[in-house]
């Protein structure tokens, strides 16, 4: 049986056999004896997006009283859920994200903890995912942004909406009724300022908007 460790764009953590491009964590939120989640869904405001393969290190998932390994379809999914790149295993990406975040949010000399405080306010409405009004027309949102319409999540790419699933993205949808912003607004501003997340392309292959 798959463990409950796959993250949706709305930040929910579910069990599914589908694999992801990235891992990450929100602190320790599991019981290693049973490899099941605790009632809480975070123990730290630092919600990270990490590499699945880093310096040949191997971790048995949920096996120890260490950070809980979560998995994401791609980086856009993780950013939508409220995570940001890890400064340990993804230092270059994290520095690019910070630079774009500063530029987009008119900030200077921010620390990771400063970003985490803003994201924690933006991603949560008590224990639920916070949704935001669109800051611009859907077609004008930067690549990598995700929106929510009813029970469906959508990736915005080149001004078009593609429905999200654990297997990948579906065909472009012409009409998305009453969309709301899933990706935290400060992260959207970082995307608009030039940060390019790694995306899963359809059901096979990936592409990196960093080129």
């Amino acid at each position: 049986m798959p463990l409950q460790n796959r993250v949706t764009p709305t930040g929910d953590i579910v069990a599914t056999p589908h694999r992801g491009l990235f891992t990450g964590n929100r602190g320790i939120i599991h019981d290693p004896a049973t490899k099941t989640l605790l009632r809480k869904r975070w123990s730290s405001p630092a919600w990270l997006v990490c590499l699945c393969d880093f310096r040949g290190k191997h971790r048995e998932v949920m096996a120890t009283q260490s950070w809980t390994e979560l998995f994401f379809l791609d980086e856009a999914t993780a950013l939508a859920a409220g995570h940001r790149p890890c400064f340990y295993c993804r230092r270059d990406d994290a520095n690019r994200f910070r630079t774009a975040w500063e530029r987009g949010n008119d900030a200077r000399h921010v620390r990771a903890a400063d970003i985490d405080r803003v994201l924690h306010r933006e991603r949560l409405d008590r224990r639920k995912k916070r949704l935001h009004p669109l800051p611009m027309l859907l077609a004008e949102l930067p690549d990598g942004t995700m929106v929510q319409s009813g029970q469906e999540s959508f990736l915005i790419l080149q001004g078009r909406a593609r429905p999200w699933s654990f297997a990948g993205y579906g065909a472009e949808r012409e009409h998305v009724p009453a969309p709301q912003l899933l990706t935290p607004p400060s992260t959207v501003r970082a995307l608009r300022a030039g940060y390019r997340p790694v995306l899963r392309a359809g059901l096979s292959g990936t592409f990196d908007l960093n080129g």
Side-chain angles (χ1 to χ4, degrees), residues 69-150:
E69 300 88 347
L70 305 174
F71 295 90
F72 312 92
L73 171 72
D74 61 7
E75 191 172 14
T77 303
L79 294 179
H83 292 244
R84 51 93 177 157
C86 173
F87 275 91
Y88 177 63
C89 66
R90 301 184 62 206
R91 179 167 295 275
D92 289 345
D93 290 335
N95 281 324
R96 279 194 289 268
F97 180 81
R98 175 165 54 188
T99 297
W101 198 94
E102 288 179 334
R103 186 184 303 121
N105 291 281
D106 194 24
R108 298 291 183 272
H109 310 300
V110 300
R111 302 172 302 162
D114 300 324
I115 296 174
D116 292 336
R117 278 192 291 272
V118 173
L119 289 179
H120 206 59
R121 292 195 300 268
E122 293 181 336
R123 65 191 166 213
L124 294 174
D125 183 1
R126 296 182 181 177
R127 293 184 61 85
K128 296 181 179 180
K129 183 70 166 69
R130 183 180 295 276
L131 299 175
H132 302 266
L134 296 190
M136 60 197 72
L137 294 175
L138 187 145
E140 297 174 354
L141 291 169
D143 288 352
T145 301
M146 296 197 73
V147 300
Q148 188 76 6
S149 175

Coordinates of all heavy atoms in Angstrom, one line a residue, residues 69-150:
E69 N 9.1 12.8 4.7 CA 9.3 12.9 3.3 C 8.0 13.0 2.5 O 7.2 12.1 2.6 CB 10.1 11.7 2.7 CG 11.5 11.5 3.3 CD 11.5 10.7 4.6 OE1 10.4 10.4 5.2 OE2 12.6 10.3 5.1
L70 N 7.8 14.1 1.9 CA 6.6 14.3 1.1 C 7.0 14.4 -0.4 O 8.2 14.6 -0.7 CB 5.9 15.7 1.4 CG 5.5 15.8 2.9 CD1 5.0 17.2 3.2 CD2 4.5 14.8 3.4
F71 N 6.1 14.1 -1.3 CA 6.4 14.1 -2.7 C 5.4 14.9 -3.6 O 4.2 14.9 -3.3 CB 6.5 12.6 -3.2 CG 7.5 11.8 -2.5 CD1 7.3 11.1 -1.3 CD2 8.8 11.8 -3.1 CE1 8.3 10.4 -0.7 CE2 9.8 11.1 -2.4 CZ 9.6 10.4 -1.2
F72 N 6.0 15.5 -4.6 CA 5.2 16.4 -5.5 C 5.3 16.0 -6.9 O 6.4 15.6 -7.4 CB 5.7 17.8 -5.4 CG 5.9 18.3 -3.9 CD1 7.1 18.2 -3.3 CD2 4.9 18.9 -3.2 CE1 7.3 18.6 -2.0 CE2 5.1 19.3 -1.9 CZ 6.3 19.2 -1.3
L73 N 4.3 16.1 -7.7 CA 4.3 15.9 -9.1 C 5.4 16.7 -9.8 O 6.2 16.1 -10.6 CB 3.0 16.3 -9.8 CG 3.0 16.2 -11.3 CD1 3.0 14.8 -11.8 CD2 1.8 17.0 -11.9
D74 N 5.5 17.9 -9.4 CA 6.6 18.8 -10.0 C 6.7 20.0 -9.1 O 6.0 20.1 -8.0 CB 6.3 19.2 -11.4 CG 5.0 20.0 -11.6 OD1 4.3 20.3 -10.6 OD2 4.6 20.2 -12.8
E75 N 7.5 21.0 -9.5 CA 7.8 22.1 -8.6 C 6.6 23.1 -8.6 O 6.3 23.7 -7.6 CB 9.0 22.9 -9.1 CG 9.5 23.9 -8.1 CD 10.8 24.5 -8.4 OE1 11.3 24.4 -9.6 OE2 11.4 25.2 -7.5
A76 N 5.9 23.2 -9.7 CA 4.7 24.1 -9.7 C 3.7 23.6 -8.7 O 3.0 24.4 -8.0 CB 4.0 24.1 -11.1
T77 N 3.5 22.3 -8.5 CA 2.6 21.7 -7.5 C 3.1 22.1 -6.1 O 2.2 22.5 -5.3 CB 2.6 20.2 -7.7 OG1 2.2 19.8 -9.0 CG2 1.6 19.6 -6.7
A78 N 4.3 21.9 -5.9 CA 4.9 22.3 -4.6 C 4.7 23.8 -4.3 O 4.4 24.1 -3.1 CB 6.4 21.9 -4.5
L79 N 5.0 24.6 -5.2 CA 4.9 26.1 -5.0 C 3.4 26.4 -4.7 O 3.1 27.2 -3.9 CB 5.4 26.8 -6.2 CG 6.9 26.7 -6.5 CD1 7.2 27.5 -7.8 CD2 7.7 27.2 -5.3
A80 N 2.5 25.8 -5.5 CA 1.1 26.1 -5.2 C 0.7 25.7 -3.8 O -0.1 26.4 -3.2 CB 0.2 25.3 -6.3
A81 N 1.2 24.6 -3.3 CA 0.8 24.1 -2.0 C 1.4 25.0 -0.9 O 1.0 25.0 0.3 CB 1.3 22.7 -1.8
G82 N 2.4 25.9 -1.3 CA 3.0 26.8 -0.3 C 4.4 26.5 0.0 O 5.0 27.1 1.0
H83 N 5.1 25.6 -0.7 CA 6.5 25.3 -0.4 C 7.4 26.2 -1.2 O 7.0 27.0 -2.1 CB 6.8 23.8 -0.8 CG 6.1 22.8 0.1 ND1 6.8 22.0 0.9 CD2 4.8 22.6 0.3 CE1 5.9 21.2 1.6 NE2 4.7 21.5 1.2
R84 N 8.7 26.2 -0.9 CA 9.7 27.0 -1.6 C 11.0 26.1 -1.7 O 11.2 25.2 -0.9 CB 9.9 28.3 -1.0 CG 10.2 28.3 0.5 CD 11.7 28.3 0.8 NE 12.0 28.4 2.3 CZ 13.1 27.9 2.8 NH1 14.0 27.4 2.0 NH2 13.3 28.0 4.1
P85 N 11.9 26.4 -2.6 CA 13.1 25.6 -2.8 C 14.0 25.6 -1.6 O 14.1 26.6 -0.8 CB 13.8 26.3 -4.0 CG 12.8 27.1 -4.7 CD 11.8 27.5 -3.7
C86 N 14.6 24.4 -1.3 CA 15.5 24.2 -0.2 C 16.8 24.8 -0.4 O 17.4 24.7 -1.5 CB 15.6 22.7 0.0 SG 16.8 22.2 1.3
F87 N 17.4 25.5 0.6 CA 18.7 26.1 0.4 C 19.8 25.2 0.6 O 21.0 25.5 0.5 CB 18.8 27.3 1.4 CG 18.2 28.6 0.9 CD1 16.9 28.9 1.1 CD2 19.0 29.5 0.1 CE1 16.4 30.1 0.6 CE2 18.5 30.6 -0.4 CZ 17.2 31.0 -0.2
Y88 N 19.5 23.9 1.1 CA 20.6 22.9 1.3 C 20.8 22.1 0.0 O 21.9 22.2 -0.5 CB 20.2 22.0 2.4 CG 21.2 20.9 2.7 CD1 22.5 21.3 3.1 CD2 20.9 19.6 2.6 CE1 23.5 20.3 3.3 CE2 21.8 18.6 2.8 CZ 23.1 18.9 3.2 OH 24.1 17.9 3.4
C89 N 19.8 21.4 -0.5 CA 20.0 20.5 -1.6 C 19.8 21.2 -3.0 O 20.2 20.7 -4.0 CB 19.2 19.3 -1.5 SG 17.4 19.6 -1.6
R90 N 19.1 22.4 -2.9 CA 18.9 23.1 -4.2 C 19.3 24.6 -4.1 O 18.6 25.5 -4.4 CB 17.4 23.1 -4.5 CG 16.8 21.7 -4.6 CD 15.3 21.7 -5.0 NE 15.1 22.4 -6.3 CZ 14.0 23.0 -6.7 NH1 13.0 23.1 -5.9 NH2 13.9 23.6 -7.9
R91 N 20.5 24.8 -3.6 CA 21.0 26.1 -3.3 C 20.9 27.1 -4.5 O 20.4 28.2 -4.3 CB 22.4 26.1 -2.8 CG 23.0 27.4 -2.4 CD 24.3 27.3 -1.7 NE 24.1 26.7 -0.4 CZ 23.7 27.4 0.7 NH1 23.5 28.7 0.6 NH2 23.5 26.8 1.9
D92 N 21.3 26.7 -5.7 CA 21.2 27.6 -6.8 C 19.8 27.9 -7.1 O 19.5 29.1 -7.4 CB 21.9 26.9 -8.0 CG 23.4 26.8 -7.9 OD1 24.0 27.5 -7.0 OD2 24.0 26.0 -8.7
D93 N 18.9 27.0 -7.1 CA 17.5 27.3 -7.4 C 16.9 28.1 -6.3 O 16.1 29.1 -6.5 CB 16.7 26.0 -7.5 CG 17.0 25.2 -8.7 OD1 17.4 25.8 -9.7 OD2 16.8 23.9 -8.7
A94 N 17.3 27.9 -5.0 CA 16.8 28.6 -3.9 C 17.3 30.1 -4.0 O 16.5 31.0 -3.7 CB 17.2 28.0 -2.6
N95 N 18.5 30.3 -4.4 CA 19.0 31.7 -4.6 C 18.3 32.4 -5.7 O 18.0 33.6 -5.6 CB 20.5 31.6 -4.8 CG 21.3 31.5 -3.5 OD1 20.9 32.0 -2.4 ND2 22.4 30.7 -3.5
R96 N 18.0 31.6 -6.8 CA 17.3 32.2 -7.9 C 15.9 32.6 -7.5 O 15.3 33.7 -7.8 CB 17.2 31.3 -9.1 CG 18.5 31.3 -10.0 CD 18.2 30.6 -11.3 NE 18.0 29.1 -11.1 CZ 19.0 28.2 -11.2 NH1 20.3 28.7 -11.5 NH2 18.8 27.0 -11.1
F97 N 15.3 31.7 -6.7 CA 13.9 32.0 -6.2 C 14.0 33.2 -5.3 O 13.1 34.1 -5.4 CB 13.4 30.8 -5.4 CG 12.0 31.0 -4.8 CD1 10.9 30.8 -5.6 CD2 11.8 31.3 -3.5 CE1 9.6 31.0 -5.1 CE2 10.6 31.5 -3.0 CZ 9.4 31.3 -3.8
R98 N 14.9 33.3 -4.4 CA 15.0 34.5 -3.5 C 15.2 35.8 -4.2 O 14.6 36.8 -3.9 CB 16.2 34.3 -2.4 CG 16.3 35.5 -1.5 CD 17.2 35.2 -0.3 NE 18.5 34.6 -0.7 CZ 19.3 34.2 0.2 NH1 19.0 34.2 1.5 NH2 20.5 33.6 -0.2
T99 N 16.1 35.7 -5.2 CA 16.3 36.9 -6.0 C 15.0 37.4 -6.7 O 14.7 38.6 -6.7 CB 17.4 36.7 -7.1 OG1 18.7 36.4 -6.4 CG2 17.6 37.9 -8.0
A100 N 14.3 36.4 -7.3 CA 13.1 36.8 -8.0 C 12.0 37.2 -7.0 O 11.2 38.1 -7.3 CB 12.6 35.6 -8.8
W101 N 12.0 36.6 -5.8 CA 11.0 36.9 -4.8 C 11.3 38.3 -4.3 O 10.3 39.1 -4.1 CB 11.1 35.9 -3.6 CG 10.0 35.9 -2.7 CD1 8.9 35.1 -2.8 CD2 9.8 36.7 -1.5 NE1 8.0 35.3 -1.7 CE2 8.5 36.3 -1.0 CE3 10.5 37.7 -1.0 CZ2 8.0 36.9 0.2 CZ3 10.0 38.3 0.2 CH2 8.8 37.9 0.8
E102 N 12.5 38.7 -4.1 CA 12.9 40.1 -3.7 C 12.4 41.0 -4.8 O 11.8 42.1 -4.5 CB 14.4 40.2 -3.5 CG 14.8 39.5 -2.2 CD 16.3 39.6 -2.0 OE1 17.1 39.8 -3.0 OE2 16.8 39.6 -0.8
R103 N 12.8 40.7 -6.0 CA 12.4 41.6 -7.1 C 10.9 41.8 -7.3 O 10.4 42.9 -7.4 CB 13.0 41.1 -8.4 CG 12.8 42.1 -9.6 CD 13.4 41.4 -10.9 NE 14.8 41.0 -10.8 CZ 15.2 39.8 -10.9 NH1 14.4 38.8 -11.2 NH2 16.5 39.5 -10.8
G104 N 10.2 40.7 -7.2 CA 8.8 40.7 -7.4 C 8.0 41.4 -6.2 O 6.9 42.0 -6.4
N105 N 8.6 41.2 -5.0 CA 7.9 41.7 -3.8 C 8.5 43.0 -3.3 O 8.2 43.4 -2.2 CB 7.9 40.6 -2.8 CG 7.0 39.5 -3.1 OD1 5.8 39.6 -3.0 ND2 7.6 38.4 -3.6
D106 N 9.4 43.6 -4.1 CA 10.0 44.9 -3.7 C 10.7 44.8 -2.3 O 10.4 45.6 -1.4 CB 9.0 46.0 -3.8 CG 9.7 47.4 -3.7 OD1 10.9 47.5 -4.1 OD2 9.0 48.4 -3.3
A107 N 11.5 43.8 -2.2 CA 12.2 43.5 -0.9 C 13.7 43.4 -1.1 O 14.1 43.2 -2.2 CB 11.7 42.2 -0.2
R108 N 14.4 43.6 0.0 CA 15.9 43.5 -0.1 C 16.4 42.7 1.0 O 15.9 42.8 2.2 CB 16.5 44.9 -0.1 CG 16.1 45.8 -1.3 CD 16.7 45.3 -2.6 NE 16.3 46.2 -3.7 CZ 15.2 46.1 -4.4 NH1 14.3 45.2 -4.1 NH2 15.0 46.9 -5.4
H109 N 17.5 41.9 0.7 CA 18.2 41.2 1.8 C 17.3 40.3 2.7 O 17.5 40.3 3.9 CB 19.0 42.2 2.7 CG 19.8 43.2 1.9 ND1 20.8 42.8 1.1 CD2 19.7 44.5 1.8 CE1 21.4 43.9 0.5 NE2 20.7 44.9 0.9
V110 N 16.4 39.6 2.0 CA 15.5 38.8 2.8 C 16.2 37.4 3.1 O 17.0 37.0 2.4 CB 14.2 38.5 2.1 CG1 13.4 39.8 1.8 CG2 14.4 37.7 0.8
R111 N 15.9 36.9 4.2 CA 16.4 35.6 4.6 C 15.3 34.5 4.3 O 14.1 34.9 4.1 CB 16.7 35.5 6.1 CG 17.7 36.6 6.6 CD 17.8 36.6 8.1 NE 16.5 36.9 8.7 CZ 16.2 36.6 9.9 NH1 17.0 36.0 10.8 NH2 15.0 37.0 10.4
A112 N 15.7 33.3 4.3 CA 14.7 32.2 4.1 C 13.6 32.3 5.1 O 12.4 32.1 4.7 CB 15.4 30.9 4.2
A113 N 13.9 32.6 6.3 CA 12.8 32.7 7.4 C 11.8 33.8 7.1 O 10.7 33.7 7.4 CB 13.5 32.9 8.8
D114 N 12.3 34.9 6.5 CA 11.4 36.0 6.1 C 10.4 35.6 5.0 O 9.2 35.9 5.1 CB 12.2 37.2 5.5 CG 13.2 37.8 6.5 OD1 12.9 37.8 7.7 OD2 14.3 38.2 6.1
I115 N 10.9 34.8 4.0 CA 10.0 34.3 3.0 C 9.0 33.3 3.6 O 7.8 33.3 3.3 CB 10.8 33.6 1.9 CG1 11.7 34.6 1.2 CG2 9.9 32.9 0.9 CD1 12.7 34.0 0.2
D116 N 9.5 32.5 4.5 CA 8.6 31.5 5.2 C 7.5 32.1 6.0 O 6.4 31.6 5.9 CB 9.5 30.6 6.1 CG 10.4 29.7 5.4 OD1 10.2 29.4 4.2 OD2 11.4 29.3 6.0
R117 N 7.8 33.2 6.6 CA 6.7 33.9 7.4 C 5.6 34.4 6.5 O 4.4 34.3 6.8 CB 7.3 35.1 8.2 CG 7.9 34.6 9.5 CD 8.3 35.8 10.4 NE 9.3 36.6 9.9 CZ 10.6 36.4 10.2 NH1 11.0 35.4 10.9 NH2 11.6 37.2 9.6
V118 N 6.0 35.0 5.3 CA 5.1 35.5 4.4 C 4.2 34.4 3.8 O 3.0 34.4 3.7 CB 5.7 36.3 3.3 CG1 4.7 36.7 2.2 CG2 6.4 37.6 3.8
L119 N 4.9 33.3 3.4 CA 4.3 32.2 2.8 C 3.3 31.5 3.8 O 2.2 31.1 3.4 CB 5.3 31.1 2.3 CG 6.1 31.5 1.1 CD1 7.1 30.4 0.7 CD2 5.2 31.8 -0.1
H120 N 3.7 31.5 5.0 CA 2.8 30.8 6.0 C 1.5 31.5 6.1 O 0.4 30.9 6.3 CB 3.5 30.7 7.4 CG 3.0 29.5 8.2 ND1 3.1 28.2 7.8 CD2 2.5 29.5 9.4 CE1 2.6 27.4 8.7 NE2 2.2 28.2 9.7
R121 N 1.5 32.9 6.1 CA 0.3 33.7 6.1 C -0.5 33.4 4.8 O -1.8 33.4 4.9 CB 0.6 35.1 6.3 CG 1.2 35.5 7.6 CD 1.1 37.0 7.8 NE 1.9 37.8 6.7 CZ 3.1 38.1 6.8 NH1 3.8 37.8 7.9 NH2 3.7 38.8 5.8
E122 N 0.2 33.3 3.7 CA -0.5 33.3 2.4 C -1.1 31.9 2.1 O -2.1 31.8 1.3 CB 0.4 33.7 1.3 CG 0.8 35.2 1.4 CD 1.7 35.6 0.2 OE1 2.4 34.7 -0.3 OE2 1.8 36.8 -0.1
R123 N -0.5 30.9 2.6 CA -0.9 29.5 2.2 C -2.0 28.9 3.1 O -2.7 27.9 2.7 CB 0.3 28.6 2.2 CG 0.9 28.3 3.5 CD 2.2 27.6 3.4 NE 3.0 27.6 4.6 CZ 4.3 27.7 4.7 NH1 5.0 27.7 3.6 NH2 4.9 27.7 5.8
L124 N -2.3 29.5 4.2 CA -3.2 28.9 5.2 C -4.3 29.8 5.6 O -4.1 31.0 5.8 CB -2.4 28.4 6.4 CG -1.4 27.3 6.3 CD1 -0.6 27.1 7.6 CD2 -2.1 26.0 5.8
D125 N -5.5 29.2 5.7 CA -6.7 29.8 6.3 C -7.1 28.9 7.4 O -7.8 28.0 7.3 CB -7.8 30.0 5.3 CG -9.0 30.7 5.8 OD1 -9.0 31.1 7.0 OD2 -10.0 30.8 5.1
R126 N -6.5 29.2 8.6 CA -6.5 28.3 9.7 C -5.8 27.0 9.3 O -4.7 27.0 9.0 CB -7.9 28.1 10.2 CG -8.5 29.4 10.8 CD -9.9 29.2 11.4 NE -10.4 30.5 11.8 CZ -11.7 30.6 12.3 NH1 -12.5 29.6 12.5 NH2 -12.1 31.8 12.8
R127 N -6.6 25.9 9.2 CA -5.9 24.6 8.8 C -6.2 24.3 7.4 O -5.7 23.2 6.9 CB -6.5 23.5 9.7 CG -6.0 23.6 11.2 CD -6.5 22.4 12.0 NE -5.9 21.1 11.5 CZ -4.7 20.7 11.8 NH1 -4.0 21.4 12.6 NH2 -4.3 19.5 11.3
K128 N -6.9 25.1 6.7 CA -7.2 24.9 5.3 C -6.3 25.7 4.3 O -5.8 26.7 4.8 CB -8.7 25.2 5.0 CG -9.6 24.3 5.8 CD -11.1 24.6 5.4 CE -12.0 23.6 6.2 NZ -13.5 24.0 5.8
K129 N -6.3 25.3 3.1 CA -5.5 26.1 2.1 C -6.2 27.4 1.8 O -7.4 27.5 1.6 CB -5.4 25.3 0.8 CG -4.6 26.0 -0.3 CD -3.1 26.0 0.1 CE -2.2 26.3 -1.1 NZ -2.4 27.8 -1.5
R130 N -5.5 28.5 1.8 CA -6.0 29.8 1.5 C -6.1 30.0 0.0 O -5.1 29.8 -0.6 CB -5.2 30.9 2.2 CG -5.8 32.3 2.0 CD -4.9 33.3 2.7 NE -4.9 33.2 4.1 CZ -5.8 33.7 5.0 NH1 -6.8 34.4 4.5 NH2 -5.7 33.5 6.3
L131 N -7.2 30.4 -0.5 CA -7.3 30.8 -1.9 C -7.4 32.3 -2.0 O -7.8 33.0 -1.1 CB -8.6 30.2 -2.4 CG -8.7 28.7 -2.4 CD1 -10.1 28.3 -3.0 CD2 -7.6 28.1 -3.3
H132 N -6.9 32.8 -3.1 CA -6.7 34.3 -3.3 C -7.4 34.7 -4.6 O -7.5 33.9 -5.5 CB -5.3 34.7 -3.3 CG -4.5 34.3 -2.1 ND1 -4.3 35.1 -1.0 CD2 -3.8 33.1 -1.8 CE1 -3.5 34.5 -0.1 NE2 -3.3 33.3 -0.6
P133 N -7.9 35.9 -4.6 CA -8.4 36.4 -5.9 C -7.3 36.5 -6.9 O -6.1 36.8 -6.5 CB -9.0 37.8 -5.6 CG -8.4 38.2 -4.2 CD -8.0 36.9 -3.5
L134 N -7.6 36.4 -8.2 CA -6.6 36.5 -9.2 C -6.1 37.9 -9.2 O -6.9 38.9 -9.2 CB -7.1 36.1 -10.6 CG -7.6 34.7 -10.8 CD1 -7.9 34.5 -12.3 CD2 -6.6 33.7 -10.3
P135 N -4.8 38.1 -9.3 CA -4.2 39.5 -9.3 C -4.2 40.1 -10.7 O -3.9 41.3 -10.9 CB -2.7 39.3 -8.9 CG -2.4 37.9 -9.3 CD -3.7 37.1 -9.2
M136 N -4.6 39.3 -11.7 CA -4.7 39.7 -13.1 C -5.5 38.7 -13.9 O -6.0 37.7 -13.3 CB -3.3 39.8 -13.7 CG -2.5 38.5 -13.7 SD -0.7 38.7 -13.9 CE -0.2 39.4 -12.3
L137 N -5.8 38.9 -15.1 CA -6.5 38.0 -15.9 C -5.8 36.6 -15.9 O -4.5 36.6 -15.9 CB -6.7 38.5 -17.4 CG -7.5 39.7 -17.5 CD1 -7.5 40.2 -19.0 CD2 -9.0 39.5 -17.1
L138 N -6.6 35.6 -16.0 CA -6.0 34.2 -16.0 C -4.9 34.1 -17.1 O -3.8 33.5 -16.8 CB -7.1 33.2 -16.1 CG -6.6 31.7 -15.9 CD1 -7.7 30.9 -15.2 CD2 -6.3 31.1 -17.3
A139 N -5.2 34.6 -18.3 CA -4.3 34.4 -19.4 C -3.0 35.2 -19.2 O -2.0 35.0 -19.9 CB -5.0 34.9 -20.7
E140 N -3.0 36.1 -18.2 CA -1.8 37.0 -18.0 C -0.9 36.5 -16.8 O 0.1 37.0 -16.6 CB -2.2 38.4 -17.7 CG -2.9 39.1 -18.9 CD -3.5 40.5 -18.5 OE1 -3.4 40.8 -17.3 OE2 -4.0 41.1 -19.4
L141 N -1.4 35.4 -16.1 CA -0.6 34.9 -15.0 C 0.7 34.3 -15.5 O 0.7 33.7 -16.6 CB -1.4 33.8 -14.3 CG -2.7 34.3 -13.5 CD1 -3.5 33.1 -13.1 CD2 -2.2 35.1 -12.3
P142 N 1.7 34.4 -14.8 CA 3.0 33.8 -15.2 C 3.0 32.3 -15.3 O 2.3 31.6 -14.5 CB 4.0 34.4 -14.2 CG 3.2 34.6 -13.0 CD 1.9 35.1 -13.5
D143 N 3.8 31.8 -16.2 CA 4.0 30.3 -16.3 C 4.3 29.7 -14.9 O 5.2 30.2 -14.2 CB 5.1 29.9 -17.3 CG 4.6 30.2 -18.7 OD1 3.5 30.5 -18.9 OD2 5.5 30.1 -19.6
G144 N 3.7 28.6 -14.6 CA 4.0 27.9 -13.4 C 3.0 28.2 -12.3 O 3.0 27.6 -11.2
T145 N 2.1 29.2 -12.5 CA 1.1 29.6 -11.5 C 0.0 28.5 -11.5 O -0.2 27.9 -12.6 CB 0.4 30.9 -11.8 OG1 1.4 31.9 -11.8 CG2 -0.6 31.3 -10.8
M146 N -0.6 28.2 -10.4 CA -1.7 27.3 -10.4 C -3.0 28.0 -9.8 O -2.9 28.8 -8.9 CB -1.4 26.0 -9.6 CG -0.3 25.2 -10.2 SD -0.2 23.5 -9.7 CE -1.6 22.8 -10.5
V147 N -4.1 27.6 -10.3 CA -5.4 28.1 -9.9 C -6.3 27.0 -9.5 O -6.1 25.9 -10.0 CB -6.0 29.1 -10.9 CG1 -5.1 30.2 -11.2 CG2 -6.4 28.3 -12.2
Q148 N -7.4 27.3 -8.8 CA -8.4 26.3 -8.4 C -9.7 26.8 -8.9 O -10.1 27.9 -8.9 CB -8.5 26.2 -6.9 CG -9.3 25.1 -6.4 CD -8.7 23.7 -6.5 OE1 -7.5 23.6 -6.9 NE2 -9.4 22.7 -6.2
S149 N -10.5 25.8 -9.5 CA -11.8 26.0 -10.0 C -12.7 24.9 -9.5 O -12.5 23.7 -10.0 CB -11.9 26.1 -11.5 OG -13.2 26.2 -12.0
G150 N -13.6 25.1 -8.6 CA -14.3 24.0 -8.0 C -13.4 23.0 -7.3 O -12.6 23.4 -6.5

